[in-house]
Amino acid sequence: VRAAFAHTGLPSLADDTGLAVDALGGAPGVCSSRYAGENVSYTDNVRKLLQEMKNIPQKQRTARFATVAAFTDGSREITEEGILEGLITFDPSGSDGFGYDPIFYIPEKNATLAQLELSEKNKISHRARALQKIVEQLRREKVI
């Protein structure tokens, strides 16, 4: 976010997300987009994760998406985290979304992220939660 602000001189917002799977000690974590290696597809990453978890029972397939969002306008920096808890499925399901969405099951919704309508996903997502916290902070500071 600092680089974007330095380059543009405009208020800037950035975020990054990782998937943490408890049975894998928090992996893939910060390496989520490169889990199966450099220059791989989302399908490659999902395939590797499912292969590593093939013998893990359902109750032990807990995971969470974590997003950290950052904002700066040159006079302040704000960072916030958003978390979405779920379970890793045994097989992909759903065609919306990207990345690990087809194998990230949300029990309260009885669906994977890839099975949810985009509007529903945007209401509950880890990214939405982090960004909402930034918006709330900017409102408290009367910036917006």
Side-chain angles (χ1 to χ4, degrees):
V1 77
R2 290 176 186 151
F5 178 78
H7 182 72
T8 66
L10 298 171
S12 299
L13 183 66
D15 71 83
D16 197 15
T17 297
L19 174 66
V21 179
D22 295 320
L24 300 178
V30 297
C31 297
S32 292
S33 65
R34 301 173 304 283
Y35 194 51
E38 294 294 325
N39 303 313
V40 298
S41 69
Y42 293 138
T43 302
D44 295 329
N45 287 328
V46 167
R47 188 179 301 120
K48 178 179 179 179
L49 183 69
L50 290 178
Q51 177 63 30
E52 289 182 346
M53 296 189 67
K54 68 182 177 186
N55 297 320
I56 307 292
Q58 185 63 46
K59 287 185 178 183
Q60 295 175 13
R61 297 174 79 89
T62 54
R64 71 208 40 78
F65 273 115
T67 294
V68 174
F71 168 87
T72 189
D73 62 3
S75 64
R76 69 183 56 76
E77 287 187 6
I78 301 170
T79 58
E80 293 289 352
E81 183 178 49
I83 303 288
L84 181 62
E85 300 283 344
L87 299 166
I88 301 301
T89 61
F90 288 92
D91 297 296
S93 187
S95 58
D96 290 336
F98 64 96
Y100 299 98
D101 289 0
I103 61 168
F104 191 84
Y105 179 78
I106 304 162
E108 299 80 30
K109 297 294 182 181
N110 193 32
T112 66
L113 280 174
Q115 291 173 308
L116 296 177
E117 296 285 333
L118 184 58
S119 60
E120 181 66 18
K121 179 183 171 183
N122 286 342
K123 289 178 189 174
I124 65 162
S125 79
H126 40 94
R127 184 171 286 109
R129 292 174 180 189
L131 294 174
Q132 184 58 42
K133 289 177 183 178
I134 286 186
V135 168
E136 289 168 5
Q137 179 69 22
L138 292 172
R139 285 186 177 142
R140 277 194 300 276
E141 294 180 23
K142 301 189 188 303
V143 175
I144 58 172

